[in-house]
Amino acid sequence: MIPSAEALRAMASKILGLSGAGEALVRLGAERRGNTRFANNGITTAGSSEDLTVTVVSVFGKRHGAARTNVTDEASLARVVRRSEELARLSPADPEWLPVLPPQTYLKAEGLDSALGDLGPEARASRVIALTGRSNSKGLLSSGFFEHSSSATALASSASLFAYSARNEGSFSTTARTRDGAGSGWAGLDFGRLIDLDAERLGRLAMEKAARSASPKELPPGKYTVILEPQAVADLMGSLAFSLDARSADEGRSVFSRPGGGTRIGERMLSERVDLISDPTASGLAGSLFDEDGLPAQRITWFDRGALRHLLMSRYWAHKTANRPTGPMANLILPGGTDTVEEMIRTAERAVLVTRFWYIRFVDPQTLLLTGITRDGTFLVENGKIARAVSNFRFNESPITMLRNVEMISAPRQVAGGSIPMAMPAIRSRDFTFSSVSRAV
Amino acid sequence: MNDLAALGLEAARSAGAGYADVRINRYRNQRLAAREDHLTAISDEESYGFGIRVLVKGTWGFAASSRVTREEVPRVAALAVATAKANLAGRGEAIRLVPVERYEDVWQTPFVKDPFDVPLDRKVELLLAINREALRVKGAKYCSSSLHFVREDKSLASTVGTQLSQTLIRCNPAYTVTAVDGATGRFATRSHDIPPAAYGYEYVEEAHLAEQAGRIAEEAVRKLRARPAASGRKDLVLHPSNLWLTIHESVGHPTELDRALGYEANFAGTSFATPEKLGKLRFGSSRVNFIADRILPGGLATVGYDDDGVKARRWHLVKDGLFVDYQTTREQARWIGQTSSKGCAHADSWASIPFQRMPNDSLLPGTAARSAEDLIAEVKDGIYIVGDGSYSIDQQRYNFQFSGQFFREIRDGKLGDPLRDLAYQSNTTEFWNACDGLGGPETWMTHGTFYDGKGEPGQVNAVSHASPVARFRGINVLSTERKL
């Protein structure tokens, strides 16, 4: 069982009671994790762990220091409080420091899912065994990962703030490969309720893609119309989300900086068909309800019909620029449209269909130019049909350009592997730059 | 032996484990960060706990807890065994570990000054001095600097009878200067080239971080005003501060045996370097020799023993251009018919399952005393690259793209103007076969990272790669300048 709000409140107030600092903030994090990993149609490793961490931030005026431990006997708790005070006293004044927060009002997220919280090694293994059995019978090699966690986070400040949030999170992903290594397919999902996981379906999707992607032919690099499945869109959106920061934009070192000064807020940077929002209450997409200072997550519109509306505003930067802080980005949702992937294919003369991207890195933050590789199912679409599998490409492209060149857009769905929960649509976009061919399968 | 470790081994054995190991580890991290004229963060972190790994009828099970008590240890041992039993019906071939000697030993990173004993005010003053020196340079607008220190006190006890106690120390100084041209909206960053290393605080003191901040800031400004590079085939001369990352991605990862055999297929991918190519694949030109090394002085992956209890060593991965060996653990060695492990098992926490992680994989220098200038003198049309930048490689480690921190044109054997906005793209074996010049031992330098990721759940490994300056002919250079 993860600790209740009452249990963490009692622990936090005991720790705050030990504080001799001018101000103090206590962060508590309790977590139970379990996972099962498989490869070549067999379970390889499985494990579980439990942990409880205590972080104390002590403040004297504008001097602050933080200390963390996971040893929670009385003496160790006293020691971590003293250590944070020691660090704060030795630290020079930080002009960016703002007083610890008083009580805040938080949105309510979905409740805990006990089915996911109670999963054990047998329940994980049984889903994996069903999948690997099917893979074996199809002559394919499947690998994958099934992980779940139950966690509780609490914050308490010397200014009477108390925040608590508890979550269950799960993820399941699988890769199927042909035995000769000529084809590879992938499917995956992050989820907050066990009922949303259909491991068999994910396994089937990956296996179908593996068979269909076998023995690809090379296409020359160049600019192509692309049909990006929701996972491929999500893979590009992580870097965009990371760049939505007000301070770096104001400081002139962001794609969202306006030449000559200021930011691009108000500017139509993307297609009018693109909205981008965060909604902490969205079903199945539970993210953080508060940041590490206790600032509440809110519903925020980042882009509205292609125009930049908000950038993530920290407490300090909001204070300095007389704005309101945004709180953390709880999740990321691109509400999209009503097109379907089937229609995108059916109405395309020539396009490349991409399952997902891999190893994405910033090349140039000025234009948000990214590089990466297509992976696990890349296909040529010709005259309204999937014509054949093609070799993977390296791309050098900006998600700003991709979202500006949108031709068609589907409804969003949950995806996998993001640093925050995401729901993304499939997108058809023109002039996407593939700069070289990769032989990798 | 630690009583609790003995209790864990006994509980695992009596529950049915054929093999078990208990790691009781304490990790300390200290981080300081500054921007411009002030410190923004200072923190100390401690994480303590234990993990029990068991083999039951050739199947792994693992469980871990932060409650290091006589009550918790047997519960966690039983959970590890139950986990292994739950997986029995779904496992592939039974795991058989290759033999290992039994060791009782104590080992530590050689260091003079434990970074955790150095007064904080000296660290704070160092960061503020770096930023001050950088911001003295006209055009340098921002400077962020940080220090990160790690101390790991690790113990390992196994049913082999091994009892090990190791203390590992690492330091990671870092800073980045940003120059901004408000009128055009352009900006450029330059991160310094001083690598993280497994030494004590003396390493930080001897690195002359603040003394070099002015030069780094000047290079940020020069980069902002530099000419954009043109795409095309060029000869490259790569400094070790750039080449380490290319080695890491194109040599280190593909020679991990678990990757090559599909065990990482769902995450980072597989490898072009499959076992049937051992002794046959021409990985690089005949001057190219890569060694895997867990004893490199200052190397971030240097240890006394790995997390299987195997003694640290070094060996060739590529010899005279030929692919000859892999990185392995006790579980893996048998997969390619070897009878002993190369000692590459590592877990990044007491809560993590040990698996194969990268040793310090390094490119050996040439035997002749050749400098960067000597290599540059034989280039008509090329680029000299210092420092690591953007990096990406495909899931089988063929196609890669790397950038850098600072680029200089080479024209008719001489260094010319700085360039900006470029990356080099190649395929691994084409690239290493295009290597036609290596610097001598005096150019051999160690660089590395605290943050190499692998596995599911993701684990982080610190690793170093040493190399000489090296030259590559006819590599595809890509202009990365774009207009939105």
Side-chain angles (χ1 to χ4, degrees), chain A residues 52-86:
Chain A
L52 171 61
T53 59
V54 177
T55 306
V56 181
V57 181
S58 291
V59 188
F60 297 96
K62 282 188 170 283
R63 298 165 185 267
H64 57 95
R68 176 190 292 181
T69 185
N70 68 343
V71 187
T72 54
D73 59 83
E74 303 264 330
S76 299
L77 292 179
R79 196 160 47 84
V80 76
V81 171
R82 293 288 91 80
R83 182 61 183 154
S84 68
E85 291 172 357
E86 216 174 277

Side-chain angles (χ1 to χ4, degrees), chain B residues 315-370:
Chain B
W315 66 100
H316 270 87
L317 296 169
V318 172
K319 196 167 189 344
D320 302 329
L322 208 61
F323 169 45
V324 293
D325 213 341
Y326 282 104
Q327 308 157 42
T328 63
T329 64
R330 288 189 68 202
E331 176 184 356
Q332 299 170 350
R334 209 182 285 280
W335 297 347
I336 49 169
Q338 296 187 356
T339 53
S340 63
S341 162
K342 294 293 198 306
C344 299
H346 176 76
D348 69 352
S349 154
W350 52 265
S352 301
I353 304 171
F355 72 133
Q356 193 271 303
R357 296 312 307 266
M358 201 184 293
N360 308 298
D361 294 333
S362 298
L363 174 64
L364 292 180
T367 47
R370 303 196 76 197

